[in-house]
Amino acid sequence: MLKKFVYGQPIPTEAVIEDISLSQEAVPYLTVQTDKEGKMTFSSTLNDEDIVYGLGEAPRGINKRGHIYESFNSDDPYHTEEKRSLYGSHNFIVVSGKTSYGIFVDCGAQVTFDIGYTVYDRLAITPSVKDFVLYIIEGDNAYDIIRQFRRVIGQSYIAPFWAFGFQQCRWSYYTADEVREVVRQYREHQIPIDAVYLDIDYMEAYKDFTVSEERFPHFKAFVEEMKAQHIHLVPIIDAGVKIEDGYDVYEEGKAKGYFCKRKDGTDFVAGVWPGRTHFPDFLNPEVRRWFGHQYQTLLEAGIEGFWNDMNEPAMFYTDEGIAEAVDYLKNFDFSCNDSNKFFELGGRVGGLANRRKDYAAMYHTINGESVCHEQVHNLYGYNMTRAAAEAFQALVPDKRILLFSRSSYIGMHRYGGLWTGDNQSWWSHLLLNIKMMPSLNMCGFLYCGADLGGFGANSTRDLVLRWLAFGLFTPLMRNHSALGTRHQECYAFGDTEAFRGLVSLRYRLIPYLYREYIKACEQNEMLFKPLAFAYPQDKIACHIEDQLLLSDDLMIAPVYEQNAIGRTVYLPEEMRFVLFKGAEVVRSERLPKGHHFITVGLDEVPVFIRPGRQIPLCEPSESVDQLDTDTVTYLSFD
C-alpha cells in the first residue's frame, strides 16, 4: 500500500508515473519536526534488528545503518567510506524488521539520510527544501515493498542483446588505428569482445557530436569496418557545450536560448573539458528534444550505443571562482608562518571544481519560471539521458540503442542504465561494486556495472581477474582505465589464458543472463538480491553482504581480497557447488547447509545452484551475434 504526501509546491520529477491519491492518514512510525526556516525532518526509531536497504548508488554496504548519506550528485572519483554522496541520487529506502516500510523522498534538491549516524537507533531524513513529495510504502516484507515501488516508477530500460557482450574502454584510444589494435589483440588472443569505447579524445576539441577528422578519418566507414568484425563503437557524450563561434550546436543553442542562465538572464559559463562551456537546460522539454536530436549525426554514422558523462553537471571552474582565487593569492602571505593558512591555501586553489556556490548561481527555466539549479541538481543527468532516449524512440523506433549515464536519479532507470563512475583500482572498490548491485536494482537500475579492474590508479593482474570473475555476472561488463594508468586490457598482462577463460564463461552465460534481465525488467524483479530476501528467517543469511542471489537460481560468492586462495561461504540451504575453471566445469558437488571454505584460483569462478533450479549454458563465441543460443547444456541442482 502506498501513501502520498505533498509538501509545498514541489517541482515535478516524473520519477513516479502511476497516479497516486493524496493521503490524509498519519504515519504512526514517523515523527515530523520543522525548524525555524520551515525545513522538515522525518524521524523514526530503529530497533536493534532492523536492516535499512536502498539508496542505490551509495558508499558502504547493503545495510545502510550507522552512516549518514547525502543525495547530491557529485563528481568525486575517490569513493572512500567517509564520502556521503556519489554520482547518483536514489532517495528510496526500506526499513526491514518487525515493522517493514519504504520511504521515497521525491526531491531534486539535496536530501540527507541520517541512518543511525547521530543516534544509532534513530532514522532522520531531512530535505534541504520545503517543496517535495513523500511516499510511504507498506508491505508484507522488504521485497514486497520494493516490487510495489518498482511498479509505480515504471519499467526499467532494456538494453540490446549485444550489450551483454564484453566491452573494452580506456581514456583514451586516441586514433582509429589504436582501436584497430585493441580489436586485433582481442581477436588474436581469442578473447571474446563486442564493443570498444571512444572517450573524449575522439571529438574535435571536445565538442559534442563532432569527430576528429585527423584521428578518426572517414568515421562512417570506420564504424562499418568495426561492425564487419562484430565490434560496436560506443562514443561518449558530455553535458557541456563548447563556446565557439561557428560550432553549430553552440550557435543554435545560443540563438534559441537553450542554455542554463545566471540570475540576470545571461548564459551561465563554466570550464569543463572543452574549456568555457554552456550547459543545456535539460529540465526544459523543448531543449531535451533539441539536444536529443543532435545524436542523429552519430546514429547516421552507424553508432548504436552511447554513454553520457560529466552530467552532474561537473564543473572544473568558473570565471568567478578563478577570480576569487587569484584575489586571494594576491593577498596571501607566502611566508607561511601560519600553518593553518597554508592548508587554507590548498583548499582555496584545489576547491575550484564543483563548488556549491557555482551551482547556486545557475538557473533553469521550468514552466516559464526561473528556478535555481540547486533545487533540481539531482535531476540534471537524468534529463540529459531522457533527452537521448526520447530522441532514439523518434529517430530509430525499431532499434534498441545502448544508453547509460554517470549521473542519475530515480526515473532515469526507464531511459538508460548507469555505470558507477570513476572508481579506483582498489580491492575495496571490488567489494563496493558487489554490495552496490542490489541497492541499484531496488531503485530500478538493472543495466549497470562498474569499471572492471578500476578506472583510476594502477591495477594488477590478480585484481583485474578477480573483478572479471564478478563482472561476468553484471549486465554491463566493461573494462575501463584512466589516462596515466597502466593498460589493463585482457591481453596487457602477458599470459591471456585466464582472461580468455573468464570472458568465455560470460559468453556461455549470456542467454541465461539476458533472459533473467528481461524478466526482471518486465516483472519489477531484482536481478541481484541480498540473501535476506530469500531466507528472512536465517539470521546468518540476513547479515551477509558479500554473497548475492542472482535471479532465483544462483548464489554467487566472489573472491575480493588480495592474495586470497579462496573464501568462506555460507549456504542457507543445501546447494550444488559448481566450480568453473575458465569456461569449463571442473568440480560439481552438493554441499550441505552451513559454512564451507572453498579454494578458488584466479582463473576460477564458483557458483551455487539452488534446489530445483537449472542453468542453461551455450558454447562461447568471439561475439554475441555469433552465439548459438539454440544449442545449450544445463547445469542443475540434481
Side-chain angles (χ1 to χ4, degrees):
M1 182 173 67
L2 280 82
K3 299 177 181 179
K4 177 182 179 181
F5 305 88
V6 176
Y7 298 91
Q9 296 181 311
I11 296 168
T13 69
E14 299 183 62
V16 173
I17 61 172
E18 188 170 298
D19 187 23
I20 300 171
S21 300
L22 291 178
S23 178
Q24 305 300 322
E25 302 177 38
V27 181
Y29 37 80
L30 276 187
T31 301
V32 184
Q33 294 177 307
T34 305
D35 67 14
K36 294 179 180 179
E37 297 177 349
K39 294 180 182 178
M40 308 175 77
T41 294
F42 300 85
S43 61
S44 179
T45 299
L46 296 173
N47 297 312
D48 287 346
E49 67 272 20
D50 286 347
I51 296 174
V52 181
Y53 299 106
L55 295 183
E57 186 185 49
R60 296 184 174 249
I62 293 175
N63 184 356
K64 295 300 189 290
R65 286 194 70 164
H67 196 47
I68 192 166
Y69 305 85
E70 293 173 351
S71 289
F72 193 83
N73 295 355
S74 303
D75 173 22
D76 181 351
Y78 299 105
H79 310 163
T80 48
E81 288 191 18
E82 81 277 8
K83 298 299 171 65
R84 295 182 175 185
S85 57
L86 297 177
Y87 299 99
S89 292
H90 310 126
N91 303 333
F92 173 57
I93 63 169
V94 176
V95 177
S96 178
K98 290 181 179 178
T99 301
S100 294
Y101 56 93
I103 301 175
F104 174 44
V105 185
D106 195 7
C107 174
Q110 177 178 314
V111 180
T112 300
F113 293 81
D114 185 335
I115 308 178
Y117 174 77
T118 302
V119 180
Y120 186 72
D121 64 353
R122 181 173 181 261
L123 164 68
I125 303 172
T126 308
S128 63
V129 295
K130 306 172 190 177
D131 309 297
F132 57 91
V133 183
L134 179 73
Y135 295 88
I136 305 297
I137 310 171
E138 298 172 340
D140 296 334
N141 51 54
Y143 199 39
D144 175 42
I145 291 165
I146 289 164
R147 293 194 66 194
Q148 289 185 63
F149 179 66
R150 289 277 305 281
R151 187 191 74 244
V152 301
I153 62 175
Q155 182 177 300
S156 299
Y157 159 80
I158 297 178
F161 187 46
W162 67 260
F164 271 62
F166 179 73
Q167 305 174 37
Q168 181 62 56
C169 187
R170 182 169 173 84
W171 173 35
S172 279
Y173 299 126
Y174 287 94
T175 67
D177 283 343
E178 285 191 40
V179 174
R180 291 184 178 102
E181 178 60 15
V182 171
V183 174
R184 186 192 70 79
Q185 291 273 14
Y186 271 95
R187 293 293 185 238
E188 183 176 291
H189 289 99
Q190 298 180 306
I191 303 170
I193 185 172
D194 270 86
V196 177
Y197 282 68
L198 304 179
D199 212 316
I200 53 176
D201 296 289
Y202 82 92
M203 303 180 200
E204 178 189 326
Y206 304 134
K207 291 182 291 188
D208 279 342
F209 311 111
T210 67
V211 177
S212 168
E213 281 295 322
E214 178 184 355
R215 295 188 298 278
F216 290 87
H218 313 296
F219 186 67
K220 185 174 183 178
F222 178 56
V223 174
E224 292 305 314
E225 175 191 333
M226 289 295 101
K227 283 186 178 181
Q229 298 181 55
H230 309 285
I231 297 294
H232 292 81
L233 297 179
V234 184
I236 196 170
I237 302 293
D238 284 349
V241 172
K242 182 178 177 61
I243 300 171
E244 179 181 282
D245 291 342
Y247 171 36
D248 59 348
V249 180
Y250 163 72
E251 295 278 14
E252 185 175 6
K254 177 79 172 176
K256 294 185 176 181
Y258 284 164
F259 298 124
C260 292
K261 309 295 183 186
R262 291 194 171 276
K263 196 169 187 177
D264 63 6
T266 59
D267 288 334
F268 181 86
V269 179
V272 200
W273 290 116
R276 299 176 81 250
T277 68
H278 292 323
F279 294 105
D281 187 357
F282 295 122
L283 278 294
N284 183 331
E286 185 179 345
V287 176
R288 285 201 301 273
R289 284 191 293 272
W290 166 74
F291 191 85
H293 277 69
Q294 303 302 318
Y295 288 78
Q296 185 169 11
T297 300
L298 292 167
L299 290 172
E300 289 176 348
I303 294 297
E304 297 175 326
F306 300 89
W307 51 313
N308 289 341
D309 195 12
M310 304 297 287
N311 52 358
E312 290 71 34
M315 301 179 188
F316 295 163
Y317 61 86
T318 59
D319 294 345
E320 292 78 7
I322 288 179
E324 291 173 17
V326 169
D327 186 60
Y328 174 83
L329 291 172
K330 285 179 179 177
N331 297 289
F332 185 75
D333 178 9
F334 282 94
S335 64
C336 287
N337 290 323
D338 185 342
S339 59
N340 290 322
K341 288 290 184 182
F342 170 77
F343 289 109
E344 181 183 299
L345 171 65
R348 282 295 189 103
V349 176
L352 289 173
N354 306 315
R355 300 190 313 166
R356 294 292 290 266
K357 184 176 181 179
D358 292 328
Y359 286 132
M362 188 165 82
Y363 283 77
H364 300 263
T365 302
I366 302 175
N367 296 325
E369 300 291 326
S370 181
V371 176
C372 178
H373 175 78
E374 285 227 325
Q375 304 287 101
V376 293
H377 174 77
N378 296 332
L379 308 179
Y380 192 78
Y382 155 27
N383 279 282
M384 177 189 180
T385 299
R386 177 180 179 178
E390 290 177 340
F392 299 157
Q393 184 60 39
L395 297 170
V396 284
D398 298 326
K399 182 176 289 187
R400 290 197 192 278
I401 302 295
L402 172 61
L403 179 64
F404 59 92
S405 172
R406 190 171 75 176
S407 175
S408 61
Y409 182 84
I410 292 172
M412 197 202 82
H413 71 285
R414 299 191 299 270
Y415 301 103
L418 64 78
W419 94 103
T420 57
D422 297 344
N423 61 2
Q424 301 291 313
S425 295
W426 300 339
W427 290 90
S428 61
H429 277 187
L430 167 54
L431 179 58
L432 178 60
N433 182 194
I434 295 166
K435 293 181 177 183
M436 198 179 284
M437 294 304 291
S439 301
L440 287 168
N441 281 194
M442 291 175 201
C443 298
F445 292 94
L446 297 184
Y447 188 82
C448 50
D451 286 343
L452 304 181
F455 177 72
N458 291 317
S459 198
T460 59
R461 179 178 182 271
D462 57 340
L463 177 56
V464 176
L465 285 169
R466 291 299 194 197
W467 217 322
L468 288 173
F470 172 66
L472 66 85
F473 297 106
T474 63
L476 173 61
M477 186 186 186
R478 182 179 78 155
N479 180 326
H480 187 26
S481 59
L483 180 72
T485 65
R486 72 185 297 188
H487 278 264
Q488 61 187 45
E489 294 85 358
C490 292
Y491 52 79
F493 297 95
D495 180 28
T496 58
E497 182 178 356
F499 292 91
R500 178 167 54 255
L502 292 178
V503 179
S504 294
L505 177 57
R506 162 63 169 222
Y507 280 67
R508 295 199 72 186
L509 287 166
I510 282 176
Y512 167 72
L513 292 173
Y514 195 71
R515 182 192 76 190
E516 295 303 304
Y517 162 72
I518 294 290
K519 183 177 76 175
C521 289
E522 293 179 344
Q523 299 180 12
N524 301 317
E525 300 280 356
M526 295 168 62
L527 194 60
F528 292 94
K529 294 191 284 286
L531 270 59
F533 286 11
Y535 308 99
Q537 305 307 317
D538 188 322
K539 297 304 180 184
I540 296 175
C542 286
H543 293 278
I544 288 177
E545 300 202 354
D546 59 355
Q547 301 171 207
L548 302 177
L549 294 177
L550 177 60
S551 187
D552 292 323
D553 306 307
L554 293 178
M555 185 182 77
I556 58 174
V559 178
Y560 54 86
E561 293 182 327
Q562 186 175 16
N563 298 323
I565 63 169
R567 59 163 293 168
T568 298
V569 175
Y570 175 70
L571 304 187
E573 61 182 333
E574 182 184 19
M575 295 184 182
R576 177 166 291 279
F577 168 44
V578 177
L579 185 67
F580 289 92
K581 185 178 180 65
E584 302 302 323
V585 175
V586 293
R587 182 179 171 187
S588 177
E589 62 179 296
R590 287 193 190 182
L591 294 180
K593 175 181 176 177
H595 290 90
H596 304 268
F597 183 85
I598 57 170
T599 301
V600 183
L602 287 173
D603 57 350
E604 295 177 332
V605 178
V607 297
F608 300 85
I609 303 175
R610 299 178 66 194
R613 308 309 207 280
Q614 61 180 10
I615 308 300
L617 296 172
C618 68
E619 289 302 308
S621 64
E622 69 174 18
S623 65
V624 167
D625 60 8
Q626 295 174 300
L627 285 173
D628 179 1
T629 58
D630 294 325
T631 304
V632 297
T633 57
Y634 289 89
L635 290 177
S636 66
F637 172 79
D638 297 321

